[in-house]
Amino acid sequence: MRQENIRNIAIIAHVDHGKTTMVDQMLKATDAFRENQQVQERVLDSNDQERERGITILAKNISIEYHDVKINVIDTPGHADFGGEVERVLRMADGALLLVDAAEGPMPQTRFVLRHAIDAGLAIMIVVNKIDRDGARPEEVVNGSLDLMMDLGATDEQLEFSMEHVIFASAVNGFARLAPDDGNDDMYPLLDMIVDGLPAPEADPDGPLAMQCVTVDHSSYVGRIGIGRIYSGTIHDADKILVVKNDGSRAMSQVKQLFTFDYLGRKECSEVKAGDIAALVGVDSTDIGDVYTDPDNPVELEPIEIDPPTLSVIFEPSTSPLVGREGDIVGARQLKERLTTERENNVTMRIEELPDKTGIEVAGRGILHLSVLMEAMRREGFEFQVGRPRVLFKKDENGTLTEPVEQSVVECAGEYSGKVIEVFGNAGGTMTSMETGTAQTHLEFKIPTRGIMGLKNRILNVTHGDAIFYHTFLEYGPYVGELGVRQNGAMISMSTEKAVAYALGTLQERGALFVGPGDECYEGMLVGERSKPGDMVVNIARTKSLGNQRSSTADIAVQLTPPRSFTLEEALEYIMEDELVEVTPRSVRLRKRLLTETERRKWSVRNGKVNK
């Protein structure tokens, strides 16, 4: 039985192809806002980091109403590090809008999200976005999208549906068209095609209850909130339900509150019928994959497996000489409590305290995934330090050591392609595809996740900034052995003082600086990178010796190159095993794990290493 008054759709695309902006226009077209209401762009990107980075981090549910049909819309992340969100939320949908940039065409993450949509059996509508931008080639992009669907094993029915359901749009200008130049200037053709073309959910409201939790929200008032689709039956407020975990364990629970999605918010209700998406309060410690079903007539659903993390970092309380100057929260106990809370709220991360209690290991899907947490904590006033990200190896059924492997894509001018291939070769990558166009060369590689760290900067250097670089998790593959690490040594401060321009003027001849005049530095802090291998201890507070004779022209102003600054992701990729990133609300500093030169020499002797 199909619920004709409901449509459940997901919006999927490569990062920055316009998903959230498209949702904005759908909301405006269905009168979600008052006529005089001031609405910010990308209204669903409510998180500060989402707005600043210009990416969607968390999947979000909204609903709109059009021609008496409720359309549940799921806005999904586009970045590979948050791909686990996409896989799960597609279970709530019957169809998907595949947004593709009219100039760029299908990109690596397009392949990733499309594969999951095809595997889920969704009806896929192709939306060619940004048809007004320079270099747009909408017809070619449609053909490229269909070719990609064929490559990914789409069924004949899916291909036929996608060929018949194509929309050309410009989300930023608020129009959707059946043909690129038909002159329509509103979003109604897209909404009409969703209602008339995409399938209604097939469900039996009178059958036994079956609902599966695919997303977990958290409230400080009511605890965890399970969000999912009701596949059959009807759920009522105060119902007694059976909760079946992924491991097969069962427990009784009671519904305390029940919500459906209503435009940008949630509406509390007394019942929700099959086919709709609901948010449920009352199941203690609910997890992704939990099935809420009828105790007398339980229904079994396929369990949901959360993607295993591929990278981990160790969070430790800061031991910097400058600790407490910029942040309010510096203690080990507060750090542990904050990360314990994160473990409750964020089921996509694995957070465990180390056996020796010296730190907490946080494992996630990639460096961006981990740095989003660090950025949130520093904005809350935390000071802490983290080590170099470690790739999580595992053994297959034969006992062979395997490691995560990424698919990487680089688009650059043909003259730089040789250098890019060389960079990937040195990082353990293997080229799998090369397409030469008139302006750009398209290169694809398989490369261990370990090799990805620090790769972006090297690619931008060899292409003079003229490259587009993307990567996404592909599979676990055989361990490829030791990979090259940073070749250049570091300049390490020998004292805890403010940097002086005169000293920096002489040091910048030896390499690149990370600090400027007046910056607070401490012993063991990395203040620059040498142009040669081997670390070098430097005096950043040295001043010019004054003689007896002075004249107005005796001193010439020091010309300093602006210091290199690091984002959190860049700092995590840059450091070595014996280095740490110190994170404070105002600064990201690099330092040695052992601050004094004496300690570092002793460590080198104990471990049989030569301290250069």
Side-chain angles (χ1 to χ4, degrees):
M1 183 188 306
R2 292 199 179 272
Q3 303 295 95
E4 294 297 339
N5 63 331
I6 296 175
R7 298 291 184 277
N8 296 319
I9 64 168
I11 300 188
I12 58 176
H14 184 81
V15 64
D16 204 31
H17 278 198
K19 297 181 300 299
T20 307
T21 307
M22 183 67 71
V23 175
D24 283 0
Q25 297 298 344
M26 293 168 69
L27 285 163
K28 290 176 184 176
T30 52
D31 300 324
F33 310 114
R34 299 190 311 273
E35 193 170 322
N36 62 344
Q37 185 174 348
Q38 294 295 315
V39 182
Q40 61 185 0
E41 290 183 358
R42 303 196 318 277
V43 67
L44 279 194
D45 283 348
S46 51
N47 182 304
D48 286 344
Q49 289 195 62
E50 289 181 318
R51 303 196 64 78
E52 291 167 17
R53 295 172 185 263
I55 62 174
T56 299
I57 293 172
L58 300 172
K60 300 178 184 69
N61 297 71
I62 64 162
S63 78
I64 56 178
E65 193 161 317
Y66 182 69
H67 289 177
D68 297 324
V69 175
K70 180 182 182 181
I71 304 173
N72 287 312
V73 182
I74 308 157
D75 184 22
T76 64
H79 197 282
D81 281 19
F82 310 104
E85 294 264 336
V86 180
E87 298 171 51
R88 298 194 310 274
V89 298
L90 289 181
R91 288 183 175 236
M92 293 191 286
D94 300 289
L97 305 187
L98 175 69
L99 261 69
V100 189
D101 189 294
E104 294 181 357
M107 296 293 281
Q109 191 69 4
T110 311
R111 171 182 288 271
F112 177 79
V113 294
L114 185 55
R115 180 192 296 120
H116 290 294
I118 289 171
D119 291 345
L122 303 186
I124 297 162
M125 182 190 300
I126 298 174
V127 181
V128 182
N129 194 24
K130 305 186 184 182
I131 62 171
D132 55 325
R133 67 176 287 187
D134 292 339
R137 44 189 184 92
E139 300 292 350
E140 291 178 44
V141 167
V142 171
N143 292 333
S145 301
L146 292 170
D147 289 343
L148 179 58
M149 289 181 66
M150 290 179 64
D151 292 344
L152 296 175
T155 63
D156 292 342
E157 291 77 13
Q158 285 175 317
L159 285 168
E160 193 172 323
F161 182 92
S162 298
M163 290 172 67
E164 295 172 356
H165 296 81
V166 179
I167 288 287
F168 301 91
S170 171
V172 73
N173 291 312
F175 66 77
R177 299 170 178 174
L178 299 177
D181 52 359
D182 72 4
N184 184 69
D185 61 357
D186 57 43
M187 296 299 294
Y188 297 124
L190 172 63
L191 294 168
D192 288 334
M193 192 174 284
I194 289 172
V195 170
D196 299 334
L198 289 176
E202 193 166 339
D204 179 10
D206 301 320
L209 173 65
M211 173 180 170
Q212 189 166 36
C213 174
V214 298
T215 304
V216 175
D217 199 359
H218 186 273
S219 163
S220 55
Y221 298 103
V222 298
R224 287 193 171 193
I225 303 170
I227 299 170
R229 172 176 166 173
I230 303 173
Y231 293 96
S232 71
T234 301
I235 191 166
H236 303 84
D237 190 14
D239 271 357
K240 298 278 188 182
I241 58 173
L242 178 67
V243 181
V244 182
K245 297 279 189 183
N246 270 345
D247 61 5
S249 61
R250 302 182 172 207
M252 291 296 296
S253 194
Q254 183 174 12
V255 179
K256 294 179 180 175
Q257 283 181 295
L258 197 58
F259 300 89
T260 56
F261 292 91
D262 183 37
Y263 287 95
L264 289 170
R266 295 176 189 161
K267 179 173 68 176
E268 190 167 1
C269 50
S270 58
E271 69 171 27
V272 184
K273 294 185 176 181
D276 208 347
I277 295 171
L280 183 149
V281 176
V283 181
D284 295 333
S285 303
T286 191
D287 279 315
I288 287 171
D290 286 359
V291 177
Y292 312 143
T293 186
D294 188 339
D296 300 324
N297 192 8
V299 177
E300 291 187 4
L301 295 176
E302 185 181 342
I304 296 177
E305 297 294 332
I306 301 176
D307 278 349
T310 56
L311 283 178
S312 73
V313 294
I314 307 296
F315 282 66
E316 304 170 13
S318 178
T319 56
S320 161
L322 304 181
V323 65
R325 295 197 186 182
E326 298 178 0
D328 304 321
I329 311 172
V330 299
R333 180 179 58 81
Q334 292 99 321
L335 182 66
K336 180 182 175 181
E337 288 175 354
R338 172 63 178 83
L339 291 173
T340 301
T341 303
E342 186 69 23
R343 181 171 58 195
E344 290 297 314
N345 302 348
N346 189 345
V347 293
T348 61
M349 283 184 168
R350 193 181 71 214
I351 301 175
E352 298 172 350
E353 188 172 13
L354 295 178
D356 60 3
K357 311 293 185 184
T358 57
I360 298 171
E361 183 178 31
V362 179
R365 295 285 294 168
I367 284 182
L368 180 60
H369 193 196
L370 297 167
S371 70
V372 164
L373 170 60
M374 296 178 199
E375 182 65 35
M377 290 175 63
R378 70 187 291 215
R379 294 181 185 205
E380 295 165 15
F382 281 86
E383 283 194 27
F384 54 92
Q385 60 194 31
V386 292
R388 180 176 171 82
R390 304 172 183 174
V391 169
L392 299 176
F393 301 103
K394 67 179 185 180
K395 292 187 177 180
D396 61 17
E397 56 274 10
N398 300 320
T400 305
L401 188 65
T402 62
E403 64 176 321
V405 176
E406 311 257 341
Q407 180 191 22
S408 299
V409 174
V410 177
E411 292 198 354
C412 64
E415 61 188 291
Y416 302 129
S417 59
K419 290 285 188 183
V420 170
I421 294 169
E422 183 182 344
V423 167
F424 269 90
N426 293 335
T430 305
M431 188 170 70
T432 58
S433 172
M434 179 175 181
E435 296 176 13
T436 305
T438 53
Q440 296 281 92
T441 298
H442 180 90
L443 302 164
E444 295 190 13
F445 301 86
K446 284 177 66 174
I447 181 171
T449 300
R450 289 180 296 144
I452 289 288
M453 288 188 275
L455 197 64
K456 183 177 181 180
N457 284 335
R458 298 204 292 276
I459 289 171
L460 291 177
N461 285 339
V462 299
T463 60
H464 298 181
D466 179 28
I468 300 173
F469 172 54
Y470 296 104
H471 60 92
T472 184
F473 174 74
L474 182 65
E475 61 190 359
Y476 266 84
Y479 176 67
V480 298
E482 291 297 323
L483 297 178
V485 292
R486 189 178 83 216
Q487 299 300 314
N488 294 358
M491 297 183 196
I492 307 165
S493 174
M494 66 165 56
S495 58
T496 302
E497 295 179 84
K498 288 186 177 181
V500 174
Y502 178 78
L504 298 180
T506 57
L507 290 176
Q508 73 176 1
E509 299 172 6
R510 314 287 291 272
L513 295 174
F514 302 159
V515 296
D519 287 353
E520 291 274 7
C521 301
Y522 55 83
E523 185 178 10
M525 177 175 159
L526 272 60
V527 295
E529 180 186 286
R530 289 188 69 191
S531 53
K532 298 178 181 179
D535 294 341
M536 177 175 68
V537 178
V538 298
N539 182 1
I540 45 84
R542 185 165 68 92
T543 56
K544 185 174 182 180
S545 301
L546 301 180
N548 292 340
Q549 298 175 350
R550 303 293 298 277
S551 70
S552 59
T553 58
D555 292 321
I556 300 174
V558 177
Q559 297 295 320
L560 290 176
T561 305
R564 176 182 172 184
S565 60
F566 287 89
T567 63
L568 264 172
E569 296 96 87
E570 290 169 346
L572 290 169
E573 291 179 337
Y574 181 82
I575 59 173
M576 307 287 283
E577 285 294 338
D578 64 336
E579 295 166 354
L580 298 169
V581 178
E582 179 195 350
V583 184
T584 77
R586 295 206 299 266
S587 307
V588 175
R589 302 187 186 100
L590 310 182
R591 51 161 286 185
K592 287 292 183 180
R593 184 174 290 277
L594 302 175
L595 293 178
T596 68
E597 188 177 6
T598 304
E599 289 176 320
R600 292 195 295 273
R601 287 184 181 277
K602 287 179 179 177
W603 182 88
S604 298
V605 171
R606 283 198 305 269
N607 291 274
K609 297 182 182 290
V610 178
N611 190 25
K612 297 182 181 179

